Amino acid sequence: MEVTPKTLADVKGGTLISYEGRVQLLEIAQVPDEHVNEFKSIEKFKIFNTNNLWVNLKAIKRLVDAEALKMEIIPNPKEVDGVKVLQLETAAGAAIRFFEKAIGINVPRSRFLPVKATSDLLLVQSDLYTLVDGYVIRNPARVKPSNPSIELGPEFKKVANFLARFKSIPSIVELDSLKVSGDVSFGSGVVLKGNVTIAAKAGVKLEIPDGAVLENKDINGPEDL
């Protein structure tokens, strides 16, 4: 299992533990409420699972033939469109406990580029990354080692709504942080630098014009552009 150092952006990621003499995967959904903050600690649990798994197919066949690959179901309470649901899932990485010679390999952060929310989608669709020979490569023009911190409001949560709010994805190579809330849409060729906060007031539609360059700006209305 490829693991990588945990940051504050990865506190929910599963981690490897030693339990009952075996390497095992521990997911946040398996942690009692009173220990969740302890699980999220980047000091106590320094690595997390990238979901990149390398497995010998012969070893899998041996376990399947012996009916020894018994994956547990993890109940995960969630809310979908305002309705509380119980998601039943199995974690592929949890199978690591069935393999006697299993190990975790600490890999560079560049091996892990998740897209779990539209804020992640903005990162990979921007000029911060490009596709070269099938590999997603980070733009060398980005001087800082870490990626920008991006927080998008609920208006951007669904992919269709997210895409409808951008004529084109802004340039974020020099961006440190972005927070967007309210009815906000972006024109084409927008450049974001430094720390940018855009918060449209209730009932107000805020459009960032084509070609706008926003650097260290706090925008609440058209008058701030």
Side-chain angles (χ1 to χ4, degrees), residues 5-197:
K6 183 191 287 189
T7 71
L8 291 175
D10 317 300
V11 293
K12 293 183 178 180
T15 192
L16 285 181
I17 61 172
S18 177
Y19 183 68
E20 295 181 341
R22 288 181 175 269
V23 175
Q24 300 202 26
L25 178 69
L26 178 64
E27 296 279 5
I28 191 169
Q30 298 170 298
V31 178
D33 291 344
E34 63 268 25
H35 292 293
V36 166
N37 287 336
E38 188 179 0
F39 176 85
K40 289 182 177 180
S41 168
I42 63 175
E43 299 299 326
K44 185 158 190 173
F45 296 100
K46 300 179 184 297
I47 59 168
F48 72 102
N49 173 25
T50 67
N51 292 321
N52 290 332
L53 306 171
W54 296 80
V55 192
N56 186 313
L57 295 179
K58 291 181 180 179
I60 290 182
K61 185 176 187 304
R62 186 166 60 247
L63 288 171
V64 171
D65 289 345
E67 297 184 351
L69 198 60
K70 299 182 185 295
M71 300 295 291
E72 63 185 319
I73 295 175
I74 304 172
N76 193 356
K78 291 191 173 184
E79 189 170 305
V80 180
D81 295 332
V83 178
K84 290 184 178 180
V85 300
L86 185 62
Q87 176 177 301
L88 302 178
E89 59 184 47
T90 55
I96 194 170
R97 73 182 187 276
F98 298 112
F99 296 84
E100 293 182 3
K101 297 180 180 180
I103 60 171
I105 301 176
N106 205 336
V107 299
R109 182 74 188 199
S110 58
R111 292 280 295 171
F112 181 69
L113 189 60
V115 179
K116 294 186 175 182
T118 51
S119 55
D120 301 323
L121 186 59
L122 193 155
L123 281 175
V124 297
Q125 287 191 334
S126 73
D127 58 350
L128 192 61
Y129 287 94
T130 186
L131 196 63
V132 179
D133 296 330
Y135 289 89
V136 179
I137 306 296
R138 205 171 82 138
N139 191 334
R142 173 75 177 181
V143 177
K144 295 188 175 181
S146 60
N147 281 344
S149 168
I150 298 178
E151 294 180 29
L152 302 178
E155 296 82 5
F156 292 79
K157 185 174 183 178
K158 294 187 176 181
V159 173
N161 295 339
F162 166 84
L163 295 174
R165 291 182 178 275
F166 292 95
K167 283 187 181 178
S168 69
I169 301 299
S171 169
I172 61 171
V173 172
E174 297 181 54
L175 179 68
D176 293 323
S177 70
L178 172 67
K179 292 183 180 180
V180 184
S181 60
D183 189 0
V184 179
S185 60
F186 292 78
S188 61
V190 174
V191 179
L192 305 175
K193 300 180 180 182
N195 299 295
V196 178
T197 300

Side-chain angles (χ1 to χ4, degrees), residues 170-171 187-192 207-215 219 225:
S171 169
S188 61
V190 174
V191 179
L192 305 175
E207 297 183 6
I208 309 302
D210 294 349
V213 179
L214 307 180
E215 183 172 2
I219 299 169
L225 292 168

